[in-house]
Amino acid sequence: MSSPSSYLNLGILAHVDAGKTSLTERLLFGAGIIDSVGSVDAGSTQTDSMDLERRRGITIQSAVVAFQLDDLTVNLIDTPGHTDFIAEVERALRVLDGAVLVVSAVEGVQAQTRVLFRTLERLGVPTLLFVNKIDRRGAREADLLEDLAEMLSPRLLPMGTVREIGTGEATAVPFAFGDPTFTDQAIEMLTAGSDEFLAAYLDDPDSLDCEAELAAQVRSGGAHPVYFGSAVTGAGVAALTEGIRRYLPVPQRNPEGEPVGTVFKVEHGAAGQKVAYIRLHSGRIAPREQLRSFRRVDGTVESFEGKVTGVEVFATGTEAVTAVAEPGSIAKVKGLTEVRIGDAIGSESALASGGFFTPPTLETVVRPAEPGDRIPLNRALLSLAERDPLVDPHLDELSEEMAVRLYGEVQKEVVASLLDEEFGIAVEFEETRAIHIERPLRTASALHEMGPWQQTPHIATVGLRIEPGEPGSGLSYGLEVERGSLTRTLRNAVEETVHKVLKRGLYGWAVTDCRVLLTATGYIGKASTANDFRAVTAFLLDVMLKEAGTEVCEPVNSFHVEFPSGTGNAVLKTLGEARSNIKGQFSTETTGYVSGFMPTEAVHGVERRLPGITEGLALFTTEFAEYRPVYGTPPRRG
């Protein structure tokens, strides 16, 4: 296969049910990849390949599908919209050159829409907006644009208008830069975003190239074109496709040197072998090459080597063809037996610096329906963790059975379905519970010096200090000693132990939002071992935690609920029983609105009860907000 001149890795993102998978189908149809547009409801789409995805009509795993725009190969990545699968979205975000954020013209900006847009902005991913479902009853244009400007960004430029909106005959009418009205609107937005462009406008307004400036500001993350259309009818999709080609960046790639890339997905082939999806930043990957992957484990970086036995790249549709992977492409690589999602290929500099979204805040014990399947279940869960590390299978100390972490109840169904369909294991779950955290209350220090007078016989001098950090700052580790004061092996032993021990605090929950500093060191040649330093570090951490004390905090979600005004009392009662803290409340003649905060653990119960007490007419949106101290007796874990 001859290599295309360039690649664009494009993400399609949205709140659930905004129509992103349908848009993917329409883009593929327009590019001639498929003969007819698949249906999410009928389970006939290209990217939803799992049986459960087709049954539920939702995207669960990110999928890659390619199409050509002239000499440009677009690797289109369809991501989940349901909040239970936000980890899949995070992995996709790490490999994008640009994105299309889909918003429903009916429902408008929703909770997940805001979360995704903020994250794209923070990452500097150039983003176009596609307002979908203009053919649906209740679709909006002018006031929706106001909502987009208020809730997402004022740096928006509508690229067209809609005729007969809200009807089956709705059409999108594109604007052109030859139109004086549109050009004036574009100039107003563009001059506000660039002092240089403003100066050029004041100097010689007739010489301005507004389209080139729009492309430049989109690629720098400073402007967002907005397209209206319908993925079902195809209205407006051609204009969006042209916008993708004109305004999203095609980065220059370096084909020379060692291959450097990011693993964002792992699946298993027909023979059970691992297949790693690698976004290649630079260099090339060919069969029989030795590749080194890097992974951060408990604060330290580990590396693994593997020999490539096969390479495929996406070229047309969902099929990948055997080829040397070029820089910018997405490759399916076989032979890397130790590879896991999140690994950096070729250089540890490609490792992600941290998560964009909060890790799962819920967990549940999972047990086999047949007692004899306990060991196969453990193996199967570890296999699933290779695809989604945040599932984090671990032994629950109370039940002595395996537990998994979750974002929500739908994820339970996914885990059960995968275990049944792929491994033949039927499972049962305990009730989902919240994962709490512990935060140190005050600073504490401890010192262990070598010598017979110490409480341990270990040949190691270690001084440590633990300090409370800002909420959300996580656990960090640092040095107040010279790096050369310990060998690398002994230094790593201390850091690894800090991360390992603080997974369980005074109440059994992980200790976080703090900083641990190494303040003193000492060792005696080969007499001091890594085990000496591990034991002393664990001993000191136990002493410091008891001195500092910890505060147990529970995960809390923000929420917004709309409901028929006649059901207000029942809704407020339900929210009260869920320990909600109501921050805002008002009503019209027909609709009531309440917003506030509630424990994450209570969200599913509220979701389950609202349809019954509002005749199915409630609109409930929620997202993780923060961890808050628990009032009363702190719950223990184990």
Side-chain angles (χ1 to χ4, degrees):
M1 186 190 90
S2 61
S3 299
S5 62
S6 52
Y7 291 91
L8 171 68
N9 296 307
L10 174 70
I12 306 290
L13 301 101
H15 186 99
V16 66
D17 291 334
K20 62 184 174 40
T21 299
S22 298
L23 176 60
T24 298
E25 289 289 306
R26 182 59 65 174
L27 289 169
L28 297 179
F29 177 73
I33 301 299
I34 54 178
D35 296 328
S36 60
V37 177
S39 165
V40 173
D41 294 335
S44 57
T45 59
Q46 292 286 301
T47 52
D48 287 341
S49 57
M50 292 174 58
D51 288 341
L52 184 60
E53 288 179 315
R54 296 184 184 277
R55 291 199 305 271
R56 292 283 309 233
I58 60 174
T59 300
I60 294 171
Q61 293 184 341
S62 296
V64 180
V65 58
F67 62 91
Q68 298 291 134
L69 288 178
D70 300 326
D71 62 349
L72 176 67
T73 294
V74 178
N75 288 319
L76 194 155
I77 303 172
D78 184 27
T79 62
H82 199 289
T83 53
D84 280 16
F85 310 109
I86 196 68
E88 278 288 314
V89 178
E90 173 166 330
R91 290 188 278 271
L93 287 173
R94 297 188 185 279
V95 302
L96 299 183
D97 299 314
V100 174
L101 182 62
V102 184
V103 181
S104 167
V106 180
E107 287 82 11
V109 178
Q110 297 173 278
Q112 185 81 335
T113 317
R114 295 195 299 271
V115 171
L116 292 171
F117 188 81
R118 286 199 301 265
T119 306
L120 289 166
E121 273 199 316
R122 190 162 67 246
L123 291 171
V125 177
T127 303
L128 312 180
L129 273 65
F130 182 73
V131 178
N132 190 27
K133 303 185 180 181
I134 62 170
D135 57 322
R136 289 272 300 276
R137 185 176 179 182
R140 299 170 295 138
E141 182 181 5
D143 63 332
L144 178 57
L145 285 170
E146 292 177 2
D147 289 345
L148 292 173
E150 179 182 348
M151 299 181 190
L152 299 184
S153 170
R155 306 283 297 132
L156 304 175
L157 180 64
M159 302 301 287
T161 187
V162 185
R163 291 178 183 161
E164 300 190 63
I165 191 168
T167 72
E169 290 71 43
T171 57
V173 182
F175 294 145
F177 278 102
D179 177 1
T181 302
F182 174 62
T183 301
D184 288 346
Q185 184 180 4
I187 288 174
E188 181 179 356
M189 194 270 289
L190 294 170
T191 53
S194 169
D195 291 340
E196 292 79 5
F197 189 72
L198 174 60
Y201 171 72
L202 295 175
D203 182 55
D204 186 3
D206 295 330
S207 67
L208 296 179
D209 188 340
C210 291
E211 190 166 17
E213 178 64 22
L214 177 59
Q217 292 197 26
V218 170
R219 293 169 185 178
S220 68
H224 307 283
V226 181
Y227 297 86
F228 282 82
S230 167
V232 171
T233 67
V237 176
L240 172 66
T241 303
E242 182 62 20
I244 292 170
R245 185 72 180 92
R246 286 179 180 271
Y247 302 123
L248 292 182
V250 180
Q252 296 298 312
R253 320 288 185 178
N254 179 15
E256 305 303 325
E258 294 296 317
V260 177
T262 302
V263 179
F264 72 97
K265 181 176 179 178
V266 173
E267 63 183 19
H268 288 79
Q273 77 276 30
K274 285 185 182 179
V275 181
Y277 284 62
I278 299 175
R279 185 271 175 88
L280 195 56
H281 302 292
S282 62
R284 295 183 171 94
I285 298 178
R288 296 183 295 279
E289 281 191 55
Q290 288 287 132
L291 285 185
R292 182 177 291 273
S293 59
F294 297 85
R295 183 182 312 151
R296 188 173 285 107
V297 180
D298 288 338
T300 61
V301 175
E302 299 179 357
S303 64
F304 309 86
E305 277 201 7
K307 185 176 182 179
V308 176
T309 59
V311 183
E312 296 178 330
V313 296
F314 290 91
T316 303
T318 57
E319 294 185 3
V321 297
T322 301
V324 173
E326 299 288 334
S329 67
I330 291 177
K332 295 174 66 174
V333 178
K334 300 176 183 178
L336 307 181
T337 57
E338 299 294 329
V339 74
R340 295 191 66 173
I341 285 173
D343 284 2
I345 300 297
S347 171
E348 64 179 271
S349 64
L351 279 171
S353 58
F356 310 135
F357 305 109
T358 304
T361 55
L362 302 169
E363 66 179 357
T364 182
V365 169
V366 53
R367 61 173 60 91
E370 298 294 332
D373 283 339
R374 182 168 180 171
I375 293 178
L377 172 61
N378 293 352
R379 292 180 185 143
L381 288 173
L382 292 175
S383 177
L384 292 184
E386 291 176 348
R387 307 177 211 179
D388 186 355
L390 294 182
V391 168
D392 185 30
H394 58 279
L395 186 68
D396 178 71
E397 297 188 5
L398 290 177
S399 64
E400 295 189 347
E401 296 186 88
M402 292 297 282
V404 293
R405 296 176 182 264
L406 306 168
Y407 278 102
E409 294 297 313
V410 176
Q411 209 174 351
K412 269 188 185 178
E413 184 180 346
V414 173
V415 172
S417 177
L418 290 172
L419 291 171
D420 183 31
E421 294 174 5
E422 295 192 23
F423 303 95
I425 302 172
V427 296
E428 301 166 346
F429 296 97
E430 285 190 359
E431 186 174 350
T432 302
R433 64 198 181 204
I435 300 171
H436 293 60
I437 63 169
E438 296 182 43
R439 290 172 173 153
L441 290 169
R442 59 189 70 88
T443 297
S445 302
L447 174 66
H448 177 283
E449 293 183 295
M450 292 181 286
W453 59 88
Q454 284 295 339
Q455 294 175 266
T456 76
H458 299 289
I459 307 172
T461 292
V462 178
L464 293 173
R465 184 170 73 250
I466 189 169
E467 302 172 346
E470 292 295 320
S473 61
L475 168 62
S476 65
Y477 173 80
L479 303 179
E480 284 191 352
V481 296
E482 296 292 332
R483 292 185 68 83
S485 65
L486 284 180
T487 67
R488 181 175 180 179
T489 298
L490 299 182
R491 194 171 62 244
N492 287 347
V494 174
E495 184 174 359
E496 290 168 7
T497 304
V498 168
H499 286 276
K500 182 177 180 180
V501 170
L502 293 186
K503 288 181 179 178
R504 286 186 59 82
L506 300 179
Y507 296 88
W509 307 102
V511 180
T512 187
D513 295 344
C514 61
R515 189 181 186 201
V516 177
L517 295 163
L518 180 62
T519 60
T521 58
Y523 70 104
I524 302 177
K526 294 183 179 180
S528 298
T529 68
N531 284 336
D532 286 321
F533 278 80
R534 291 189 187 100
V536 170
T537 300
F539 170 76
L540 295 181
L541 287 168
D542 183 59
V543 171
M544 290 192 301
L545 281 180
K546 289 176 181 175
E547 180 182 340
T550 62
E551 182 177 55
V552 177
C553 302
E554 66 177 342
V556 173
N557 277 37
S558 62
F559 73 87
H560 178 82
V561 59
E562 301 177 18
F563 50 88
S565 55
T567 63
N569 289 337
V571 170
L572 291 173
K573 179 182 178 183
T574 298
L575 295 175
E577 291 171 350
R579 295 192 291 132
S580 298
N581 181 8
I582 294 175
K583 291 295 186 181
Q585 180 179 354
F586 71 96
S587 61
T588 66
E589 290 184 1
T590 59
T591 307
Y593 303 86
V594 175
S595 60
F597 300 89
M598 70 173 62
T600 302
E601 201 167 27
V603 167
H604 179 61
V606 173
E607 286 177 326
R608 198 171 49 213
R609 291 184 61 185
L610 280 177
I613 62 177
T614 63
E615 299 178 352
L617 297 177
L619 174 62
F620 180 67
T621 58
T622 179
E623 62 179 299
F624 173 80
E626 61 182 347
Y627 279 91
R628 289 186 178 179
V630 172
Y631 297 103
T633 304
R636 289 185 175 272
R637 181 183 191 182

